[in-house]
Amino acid sequence: MSAHNEEAPILIEDGLIGNGLMEGGSPDGRSPNGGSIVLEAGPDAAGQRLDQWLAGKLGPDMSRSRVQMLIRQGAVKVGGQPVNETKRKMAAGDHVSVDMPEPEPAEPQGENIALDVLYEDNELIVINKPPGLVVHPGAGNWTGTLVNALIHHCGDSLSGIGGVRRPGIVHRLDKETSGVMVVAKTDRAHKSLSEAFADHGLTGDLKRAYLALVWGIPMRPTGTVDEPLGRAVDRVRRAVVPEGRDDARHAVTHFTVIERFGEQQKQFATASLVECRLETGRTHQIRVHMAHIGHPVVGDPDYGQAFRTKANRLPEPLKGRVKAFPRQALHARLLEFRHPTTHLTMRFEAPVPRDMEELVDGFRKL
């Protein structure tokens, strides 16, 4: 069947509709250069989840998680109507169309970007990530990332992750969050570290601690936020959501107040330096959880907007420093894990970056 066939579509049960192609398609129904794919569900599809059925039709090149993302982005239509529920039940005869995104660029290339290396051996590398550095290439950031820097830095010492000579990212920090990260250089290390981070240290030796400068002073010196996280209304940010919701994910953050600022006065806004330890590792977890309990991270552009005017209740020069601070004041201070081959416990700490330290010092003078 030619990709340039302009005849009217012919319905093909439980397969592609007509030639199954739009411009840029291919004879097997894939759409490597963008465009749309249209399928019709056969009798065996009845009762299946939309994401499960669609992943089966588009696999093995399209993972189920990728299919779920396309559904949530509104790229999937059933009967011509957009759907965003991954669990939607299929019915025989459903016509499903998928707007395929443009393909991602080829494998990232190495770039000579300076790295603060805390430790490195044949299995892994530990770095102190500066604020402003994106971890992995993605939309809007195909170059200039930590992955690009690691490919250049590690060179031939990368023995391959999944058969590809690339660094194995087992956890991430937000672009504007600084601190300690470990990256695998071999399949063996990648598997071991991935399992440790997936378990979040519940049965192993993984420990992670973050320092956060937050608005206000928590009522208790220690506490735990145990609230599920899911998509916010804008579908970009995260939010605390009801436990039974489709996208709800278990999330637990333990916090300890390290320092209190401005506690003995009423003239200015108060703040606290808090250590947060993760029991789970959800996207934006600390930022969402601290905002949820009324103590958002200072400078957080996504979850601290309601507290922006707090800076007006500070003396100069701290007022100007807070207003000019370009990011969330969050730092991954500590990372401890068991080495995948020596099985020794390794502990790394990264000093607070200068901009955040200067901000904290300003609050100390309240």
Side-chain angles (χ1 to χ4, degrees), residues 14-51:
D14 207 4
L16 302 174
I17 295 182
N19 57 23
L21 303 171
M22 297 291 285
E23 183 178 354
S26 62
D28 63 356
R30 302 293 184 266
S31 188
N33 297 315
S36 296
I37 293 177
V38 185
L39 306 102
E40 180 184 21
D44 292 344
Q48 289 190 48
R49 287 174 46 140
L50 173 61
D51 59 343

Side-chain angles (χ1 to χ4, degrees), residues 71 122 133 138 174 202 245-246 280 291 296 343 358 360:
I71 293 173
N122 291 332
L133 181 64
D174 294 338
L202 294 179
R245 212 172 82 170
D246 176 52
T280 57
H343 305 298
E358 290 177 348
V360 172

Side-chain angles (χ1 to χ4, degrees), residues 199-205:
D199 183 61
H200 303 295
L202 294 179
T203 60
D205 300 312

Side-chain angles (χ1 to χ4, degrees), residues 78-312:
V78 178
Q81 297 299 316
V83 294
N84 53 31
E85 289 299 324
T86 59
K87 292 183 179 180
R88 182 193 186 280
K89 297 299 183 182
M90 297 290 296
D94 276 346
H95 292 171
V96 181
S97 64
V98 184
D99 294 328
M100 302 296 290
E102 292 296 320
E104 296 182 357
E107 287 293 322
Q109 301 299 307
E111 297 179 49
N112 189 8
I113 300 171
L115 290 174
D116 182 3
V117 179
L118 303 180
Y119 174 84
E120 182 175 8
D121 62 23
N122 291 332
E123 298 287 337
L124 54 85
I125 182 172
V126 181
I127 62 107
N128 178 19
K129 188 187 89 66
L133 181 64
V134 175
V135 171
H136 201 280
N141 294 285
W142 295 116
T143 61
T145 71
L146 175 60
V147 166
N148 297 112
L150 288 170
I151 291 173
H152 177 273
H153 173 87
C154 297
D156 290 339
S157 68
L158 293 173
S159 69
I161 307 297
V164 179
R165 195 178 295 278
R166 60 183 172 86
I169 304 298
V170 295
H171 68 124
R172 302 190 186 197
L173 297 178
D174 294 338
K175 175 183 178 181
E176 299 299 346
T177 299
S178 56
V180 187
M181 282 189 65
V182 60
V183 179
K185 296 168 67 175
T186 68
D187 260 330
R188 176 172 51 188
H190 187 253
K191 182 177 184 296
S192 175
L193 291 170
S194 294
E195 290 173 351
F197 277 90
D199 183 61
H200 303 295
L202 294 179
T203 60
D205 300 312
L206 180 71
K207 294 180 181 178
R208 287 181 289 171
Y210 294 72
L211 286 179
L213 178 64
V214 303
W215 287 111
I217 300 174
M219 295 180 61
R220 296 173 296 168
T222 62
T224 297
V225 186
D226 185 350
E227 296 287 351
L229 300 184
R231 298 183 303 277
V233 175
D234 61 12
R235 310 187 73 80
V236 175
R237 294 178 296 173
R238 296 296 185 269
V240 169
V241 299
E243 188 171 347
R245 212 172 82 170
D246 176 52
D247 64 325
R249 297 294 182 268
H250 178 58
V252 180
T253 303
H254 305 284
F255 69 86
T256 300
V257 178
I258 305 299
E259 291 185 67
R260 299 170 177 81
F261 307 121
E263 186 177 26
Q264 302 304 319
Q265 53 79 40
K266 297 183 179 179
Q267 181 181 1
F268 303 120
T270 59
S272 304
L273 187 64
V274 176
E275 180 182 85
C276 296
R277 291 185 178 254
L278 299 180
E279 189 174 309
T280 57
R282 307 303 179 191
T283 301
H284 300 176
Q285 178 174 317
I286 291 175
R287 298 163 62 189
V288 177
H289 272 171
M290 295 309 296
H292 179 69
I293 63 173
H295 301 287
V297 178
V298 173
D300 194 326
D302 297 314
Y303 307 103
Q305 287 289 344
F307 282 67
R308 290 186 64 182
T309 57
K310 286 279 189 180
N312 294 326

